[in-house]
Amino acid sequence: MKKHELKKLIIKIFIKHKLSKNHANICAEALVNAELVGAHSHGLSRLKMYCERINKKVINPKPKIKIKKISQSISHIDANNSIGFVAADIGIKEAIKNATKTGIALVGIKNSGHYGLSGYYAEQAVKKKLIAFIFTNAPPAIAPYGSLKSLFGTNPVCFGTPTNSKIPFILDTSVSMINRGKIRVAARTGIKIPKEVALDKFGNPTTDAKEALAGVQLPIAGFKGSGLAWMVDILSGVFTGGNHGGKVKDPFDDFTGPQNIGHLFIVMKSNIFVNNYNKRIKENIKRIKKLPKLKGVKEILYPGQNKFKRYNSNIYKEIKISENISKDIEFLLSK
Ligand SMILES: NC(=O)c1ccc[n+]([C@@H]2O[C@H](COP(=O)([O-])OP(=O)(O)OC[C@H]3O[C@@H](n4cnc5c(N)ncnc54)[C@H](O)[C@@H]3O)[C@@H](O)[C@H]2O)c1
């Protein structure tokens, strides 16, 4: 399906589910972008879930989002249980505005929901020549180091900077060995997951996606990844007023209330300490790319390069819609 046709369909579905045209458009843009960068686990595979949460009144389709200005640089947003895309869109715009005015912005968001890809928001700041840190917490998936119970989300860590070239540096990584969405897709399509990324509910290694969903995911790099997940939970949840410590509800399985996810956006000008950042970042990347390469490696990539390439090669192609997703779309349009 063509990009603009898909976007129109998603907008129609969200409007049917009581979102305003503007909010439906924000959600559709984010979901189509996820498909274009190849992040299918954060794209259309979640459409039905968002609509179900609206139907069950745990996402508010008509939120009254409040922005509390704490200082010229700092804003606190109460998203009123909006769909995460809308809260994050308002949040990143506020952060860009504050940082452009004062040099640095801190925006905390509470009462939000799942917002998709952190990098999508970092890219918006980077397009305005700003540096960004983007944090969000997520429902329990990772067992804290030493525990047999999931508590931390896959809590992505995201950092973006302009590079003085058309490809931004966007490090956007979950702190689990594998992203939970990929396990969900594997469970749905019956494919095996890699070894050493998850344990079953008894603590035994598994490659069965369903067993992994019932068990625990493993953090990257043992206690180091567990520490990063914990840090993101503190910054996004404890600090902003959002849920934390395992209290974020799973959007697919738990409809007993809103998720109250927290996000934290830190955005700043690149020339706060030096007036030649553009030259310095270019030199930095050049030095690393010139290093001797391992056998079989053609180019040392910086984070974000792959995704940029994927987006640009997909943008004029048809977006493939799987049979399952087609059924979801048909179902949602028929309601
Ligand atoms: N909203 C949520 O609750 C939530 C939770 C978890 C993950 N996510 C999102 O899921 C997405 C996928 O996360 P992921 O952990 O699967 O990412 P990933 O493993 O695909 O990529 C992680 C990072 O590594 C970089 N990278 C990949 N290959 C590279 C290479 N060869 N050389 C250098 N860098 C390279 C990528 O550009 C990226 O910045 C992210 O956008 C994340 O924000 C969202």
Side-chain angles (χ1 to χ4, degrees), residues 266-302:
I266 305 168
V267 173
M268 54 208 159
K269 284 187 178 165
S270 58
N271 62 356
I272 295 177
F273 302 117
V274 292
N275 57 19
N276 57 348
Y277 183 84
N278 283 347
K279 191 165 164 250
R280 291 169 66 81
I281 187 81
K282 205 160 187 159
E283 174 59 27
N284 174 282
I285 292 172
K286 195 167 146 197
R287 264 190 235 168
I288 292 160
K289 281 196 172 279
K290 274 200 335 215
L291 289 174
K293 293 172 206 53
L294 287 172
K295 215 173 156 188
V297 174
K298 274 203 197 121
E299 183 189 354
I300 296 171
L301 299 173
Y302 57 81

Side-chain angles (χ1 to χ4, degrees), residues 7-292:
K7 194 177 154 192
K8 257 195 196 163
L9 269 186
I10 303 174
I11 292 176
K12 199 167 167 192
I13 289 171
F14 277 124
I15 291 177
K16 259 179 172 287
H17 287 80
K18 304 197 186 83
L19 258 67
S20 68
K21 202 169 167 195
N22 176 30
H23 287 181
N25 186 55
I26 290 168
C27 298
E29 279 280 347
L31 288 173
V32 170
N33 174 75
E35 291 296 325
L36 290 175
V37 297
H40 307 295
S41 55
H42 287 271
L44 295 173
S45 60
R46 292 182 181 246
L47 184 59
K48 195 170 165 209
M49 172 275 285
Y50 293 122
C51 294
E52 227 171 318
R53 293 192 75 76
I54 297 170
N55 290 341
K56 300 217 163 120
K57 300 194 175 9
V58 289
I59 285 179
N60 180 356
K62 301 264 186 249
K64 292 198 166 49
I65 298 178
K66 285 193 194 118
I67 305 179
K68 184 173 162 196
K69 202 94 191 166
I70 293 173
S71 75
Q72 288 253 75
S73 293
I74 309 172
S75 306
H76 193 200
I77 298 180
D78 182 338
N80 193 215
N81 302 321
S82 80
I83 193 161
F85 300 120
V86 169
D89 182 78
I90 291 174
I92 194 64
K93 289 195 169 109
E94 180 75 5
I96 291 170
K97 198 168 74 190
N98 292 358
T100 307
K101 236 186 246 166
T102 69
I104 186 157
L106 180 68
V107 173
I109 307 177
K110 65 175 181 176
N111 291 319
S112 182
H114 182 269
Y115 70 21
L117 311 173
S118 293
Y120 180 64
Y121 305 101
E123 280 161 19
Q124 296 180 38
V126 171
K127 270 190 198 138
K128 303 280 181 194
K129 303 201 177 344
L130 298 161
I131 292 175
F133 283 100
I134 308 284
F135 300 105
T136 184
N137 58 6
I142 300 180
Y145 188 70
S147 139
L148 217 182
K149 188 159 167 41
S150 296
L151 185 137
F152 299 134
T154 49
N155 296 359
V157 172
C158 178
F159 167 79
T161 172
T163 55
N164 199 18
S165 82
K166 63 180 191 311
I167 310 178
F169 179 113
I170 309 279
L171 171 69
D172 179 19
T173 180
S174 50
V175 291
S176 52
M177 290 293 288
I178 185 172
N179 145 2
R180 192 165 188 78
K182 284 185 191 156
I183 303 188
R184 283 189 193 286
V185 173
R188 229 173 133 164
T189 49
I191 55 174
K192 293 234 171 285
I193 55 168
K195 283 183 188 155
E196 292 166 17
V197 302
L199 306 177
D200 67 15
K201 63 181 177 189
F202 307 108
N204 302 313
T206 183
T207 54
D208 181 302
K210 284 188 180 145
E211 279 181 15
L213 289 176
V216 299
Q217 282 182 246
L218 294 173
I220 50 168
F223 61 84
K224 300 180 189 183
S226 176
L228 285 172
W230 204 332
M231 174 193 83
V232 174
D233 195 41
I234 294 167
L235 288 174
S236 323
V238 180
F239 187 46
T240 64
N243 270 340
H244 61 92
K247 298 285 185 206
V248 169
K249 293 181 198 296
D250 189 302
F252 290 92
D253 302 332
D254 188 343
F255 295 88
T256 56
Q259 286 190 291
N260 183 14
I261 284 181
H263 319 303
L264 186 75
F265 299 166
I266 305 168
V267 173
M268 54 208 159
K269 284 187 178 165
S270 58
N271 62 356
I272 295 177
F273 302 117
V274 292
N275 57 19
N276 57 348
Y277 183 84
N278 283 347
K279 191 165 164 250
R280 291 169 66 81
I281 187 81
K282 205 160 187 159
E283 174 59 27
N284 174 282
I285 292 172
K286 195 167 146 197
R287 264 190 235 168
I288 292 160
K289 281 196 172 279
K290 274 200 335 215
L291 289 174

